[in-house]
Amino acid sequence: MGKLDGKVALITGAGQGIGQGIALALAKEGAEIAVAGRTESKLHTTCGLLADIGARGEVVVCDVSKKDDITAAVDRTVELFGGIDILINNANDCKPGALLTVLDEDFERSFATGPLATLRMMQASYPHLNSRGGGVIINMVTSAAVRWDASNYGAYGSVKEGMRALTRAAACEWGKDNIRVLNVAPHAQTPALQWWMDKNPEEAAAFVAGIPLGRVGDPETDIGRAVVFLVGEDAGYLTGATIPLDGGQSRWG
């Protein structure tokens, strides 16, 4: 018996990295997974990994920058699984960079795939969460906004802070519906992070040295397993909060 038997999770950006790690962790506890993202081949890879552990995963192609795609992804998930109990808003196209290098079109896309996509996905999922007596939404944010040195993280941090504000509002408005809403701010070994570390070895070494636990997190065992707890009954009195899964690097509060 798993902690999440009978639960259905819709996870965006589930084709790789943190989204894939969360999918595997939830599935190992019995959840069925709608594996959502833009690149179908990557989604099939994750579904294959789920099948290898005897879990059910279904491909749901979705570009979160498009409102119609979001609506279709939610509808398709309900069609395939009968409902939604867990929503993980993980997909976001947003890159760090110095303020003077930020282009309007990049910043606009960051917001389209960040706060706007998060709002749309929560709105579309709300009726289905409510119809099943409640559920949990996890919005993936960042500790970059509270770094002691926010250089090169202004645009990135502002996008994620917009998502944090939506989380707090949804937690307050939807608590009466037994819908919990949380932020998770992770550090994890993803393809994007590995690319940056390979390109910036000295900065990457300093980055890792600043993590009290001395390592970057694993998408499944460090991030995914923590999300299992957060969406489960043992965290049933927790909502509206930001959980830093960053090895103690950032100071919140």
Side-chain angles (χ1 to χ4, degrees):
M1 295 291 289
K3 296 179 180 179
L4 302 176
D5 284 349
K7 301 295 185 181
V8 174
L10 168 57
I11 306 174
T12 67
Q16 63 182 10
I18 292 173
Q20 184 181 86
I22 293 173
L24 289 166
L26 268 57
K28 287 180 180 178
E29 290 294 340
E32 296 182 318
I33 312 296
V35 180
R38 287 183 300 172
T39 307
E40 188 170 356
S41 60
K42 293 180 179 180
L43 305 181
H44 282 293
T45 296
T46 297
C47 285
L49 293 173
L50 294 172
D52 288 344
I53 60 173
R56 182 187 178 192
E58 299 283 355
V59 169
V60 177
V61 178
C62 174
D63 180 344
V64 297
S65 70
K66 301 175 181 178
K67 184 175 182 179
D68 289 347
D69 272 27
I70 287 174
T71 301
V74 170
D75 290 346
R76 180 61 174 157
T77 300
V78 173
E79 177 186 347
L80 287 166
F81 298 99
I84 300 172
D85 303 288
I86 300 164
L87 170 64
I88 310 291
N89 283 310
N90 171 64
N92 182 209
D93 186 2
C94 185
K95 302 176 180 64
L99 293 178
L100 291 177
T101 70
V102 177
L103 301 176
D104 282 4
E105 54 265 35
D106 291 339
F107 200 38
E108 289 169 357
R109 179 165 177 80
S110 296
F111 268 91
T113 61
L116 183 55
T118 297
L119 176 62
R120 287 170 169 169
M121 190 65 80
M122 290 196 300
Q123 289 173 330
S125 299
Y126 169 83
H128 306 290
L129 292 165
N130 195 33
S131 69
R132 288 165 76 93
V136 187
I137 299 170
I138 302 286
N139 294 326
M140 307 303 288
V141 297
T142 183
S143 59
V146 297
R147 287 170 59 97
W148 67 273
D149 180 1
S151 300
N152 298 313
Y153 291 100
Y156 180 70
S158 68
V159 167
K160 295 295 191 177
E161 286 296 275
M163 293 169 62
R164 286 219 304 147
L166 291 171
T167 296
R168 182 62 187 167
C172 293
E173 293 176 17
W174 298 347
K176 66 183 185 301
D177 303 310
N178 197 33
I179 297 172
R180 297 189 295 112
V181 194
L182 295 160
N183 296 302
V184 167
H187 284 336
Q189 197 67 50
T190 65
L193 179 61
Q194 189 60 55
W195 178 89
W196 174 80
M197 294 177 77
D198 291 343
K199 294 287 186 180
N200 305 276
E202 292 185 4
E203 189 176 352
F207 171 78
V208 176
I211 300 174
L213 290 182
R215 61 183 177 83
V216 177
D218 179 82
E220 180 184 349
T221 58
D222 291 316
I223 310 305
R225 289 301 307 171
V227 171
V228 167
F229 166 74
L230 294 172
V231 302
E233 293 182 358
D234 290 341
Y237 199 53
L238 181 62
T239 194
T242 298
I243 313 300
L245 299 179
D246 61 4
Q249 187 181 54
S250 298
R251 179 184 178 186
W252 292 84

